[in-house]
Amino acid sequence: MKKWLDNFKNMRFLSRFADLIGLLKICQNLHFDTSKPFSRPTEYTTTKTIRKQCTNLLLQPATEVRSWLNLFKTIIADGEGVLWIYDKPIPGAIDALNQLKASGKQIYVCTNNSTQTRQQHAFKAERLGLNIRENEVLCTAHATAQYLKDLEFLKYAYVIGAEALTTELDAAGIVLHNDSGPDIMHETVEKFATEFRKEANVGAVIVGYDTHFSFCKLAKAVTYLKNPNCLFLATNVDASSYTGDMVLPGTGSFVAAIEYCTGRKAFVIGKPSANMCTRYIQNGLIQPANTLMIGDNYQTDMPFGHNLGFQTLLVGTGTHTWSDVLHLKKLNGNLAKHLMPDAYIPKLADLNYFLPR
Amino acid sequence: MKKWLDNFKNMRFLSRFADLIGLLKICQNLHFDTSKPFSRPTEYTTTKTIRKQCTNLLLQPATEVRSWLNLFKTIIADGEGVLWIYDKPIPGAIDALNQLKASGKQIYVCTNNSTQTRQQHAFKAERLGLNIRENEVLCTAHATAQYLKDLEFLKYAYVIGAEALTTELDAAGIVLHNDSGPDIMHETVEKFATEFRKEANVGAVIVGYDTHFSFCKLAKAVTYLKNPNCLFLATNVDASSYTGDMVLPGTGSFVAAIEYCTGRKAFVIGKPSANMCTRYIQNGLIQPANTLMIGDNYQTDMPFGHNLGFQTLLVGTGTHTWSDVLHLKKLNGNLAKHLMPDAYIPKLADLNYFLPR
């Protein structure tokens, strides 16, 4: 046991060293992007003006914007901050996406929110007026379950997450897992550790958004992750969200705690990782060259689109604004290329100016 | 509010970029160590053989080891893994430290454990047979409170930690703080956020070991840390400990979660940071040139000693063994110099061979 832990601590040091080497390599190449699962054309098929410049569409000739929009057969839109904020639709945004669909484009909603099943996301979108079916929702709880299903995973999964995550696991036939909900320290940590009965054959630790995240959950996760064959999956690594005056920790902060403790890196399903889309691309349902990713966050949505070879459009109704991106560009130039949207529009409703009615 | 959060997210990106530049600079200098608060003599006063080589003292001539030990007026020993494991003394270790004290050396016990007050640490050490007084204990709960006292801190402190931490704060006159203990999610996160009443004038978030660490505590900490003038202190950043077959997350994992969420870096009081010793050095109670740091961990104890200009001795009764260090040296050479002990001994009791009785 002790010997194992010694190895474990060596691994942590090596992991940090590997991180350093990784960063150096990235810097030598003058960009941060290390994973490009799908190739990106070196010369875009768009006009010169709309090309990794965060071009404000409202300042472009309407004909140019229309011909740019005509390039796309598929539109993938983030939900939160683009179409709605919590349960409130952003005025005109859903109508614009419906218009794009009515004009013949395939639309998808793509969200890192792991607290709802794919069905629940679809219900919500429909309730708010979006013309969408369940298989047009790309979401992390469903994608995580599908990822394990594709691996023919039959072991036990230890889950930090909401009920939606375990529901999606069940639906994918992964039925050996703990329930969601509170797991709190009732007495001393010694008693907790003594009484803890490890589940047999734990093959994955899955970390999603969990408002019951606790010391006990963290301890169980890192204990299972001692086994190097136990998968370590994160639905997403968003840092935070906020409600009113309160900052709420994101799934990424739980993941950071586990990564620090174990010296292991999570395999991330959600944006900016490509995993929510890979199946659709492999099946030919999404063709990167004619796909547009619309998002409100240059740290998740834009690199997600960039890595997959999509073009990207930032809307200013959520996390980041045009000035944020221009500021980033000024500070970092080429270093931030993968974060840089091709185009910008203050709100999705503004697209209505360019759409046939 | 939103504008503020935008700035906040920019800061997170900038912080990551600063990290990258920092790592590059460090690598150019071919060592990792960036903070050397006290100068270290370029030529040690020890024999050639005992010098950043993790020299096994048992393989050296006894006369040489004795003359090396005679160099030191002050001995600082870690507790856990050197003198005891939880409540069980490591055979002969406490006797060896008592012998060193009896031979005229000043001894200190120095621990990152923030779950006991300085008085409690002293009681425990005495109970296990160590001849020690309270002011010969250097511990993080006490040092954190003293750090704030030195700043004449009079604001409210939001504490994630054990009762010992709030007790030490009270003793230092810092009486405006929350209590330790559970803080769990009773209903929905929306209700939690709505009902949360921020304390006025919060000037510090302090993070120590807390077996009641929870989503609610994390959310409150990161909300207070939105204020850039609010201090962010960590008692220590140990990654993990273990009891039996269970890995327990260390304070560093809570700190990592908060750092990831806020984009801020904690100011760390415990080893390997120098803060537990600076007051003693400034007062002349500890003179680095004739001080030996004894520890079991090359990631905390050894760089702590190195950074302060002490010599260092690793004992193999805790986290790391001789072979771990030799393995590290083989892999990283000069890069790991600050982690490399001057000397090694399998257990502290082995020092008895070289001590007058």
Side-chain angles (χ1 to χ4, degrees), chain A residues 49-50 56-68 354:
Chain A
T49 48
I50 305 175
N56 189 332
L57 296 183
L58 295 187
L59 303 178
Q60 302 305 305
T63 50
E64 192 159 339
V65 177
R66 277 193 200 103
S67 65
W68 181 70
F354 310 107

Side-chain angles (χ1 to χ4, degrees), chain B residues 81-82 294-297 313-318 320 344-348:
Chain B
V82 175
I294 304 174
D296 68 316
N297 187 315
L313 170 63
L314 186 81
V315 296
T317 45
H320 294 128
Y344 171 80
I345 204 158
K347 53 189 188 298
L348 198 60

Side-chain angles (χ1 to χ4, degrees), chain A residues 206-219:
Chain A
I206 307 173
V207 185
Y209 191 68
D210 189 343
T211 58
H212 297 289
F213 182 67
S214 66
F215 181 94
C216 298
K217 292 191 177 196
L218 185 50

Side-chain angles (χ1 to χ4, degrees), chain A residues 318-349:
Chain A
T319 304
H320 294 128
T321 62
W322 192 29
S323 63
D324 290 332
V325 177
L326 295 184
H327 187 64
L328 171 73
K329 186 182 174 187
K330 194 175 165 191
L331 281 171
N332 296 290
N334 277 338
L335 283 168
K337 196 178 163 192
H338 67 304
L339 308 177
M340 190 60 61
D342 293 292
Y344 171 80
I345 203 158
K347 53 189 188 297
L348 198 59

Side-chain angles (χ1 to χ4, degrees), chain B residues 1 4 44 67 95 129 153 200 226 242 261 267 278 353:
Chain B
M1 170 64 194
W4 182 91
Y44 299 169
S67 65
D95 185 42
F153 182 87
K226 279 197 313 188
Y242 54 101
C261 191
F267 180 83
T278 45
Y353 302 133

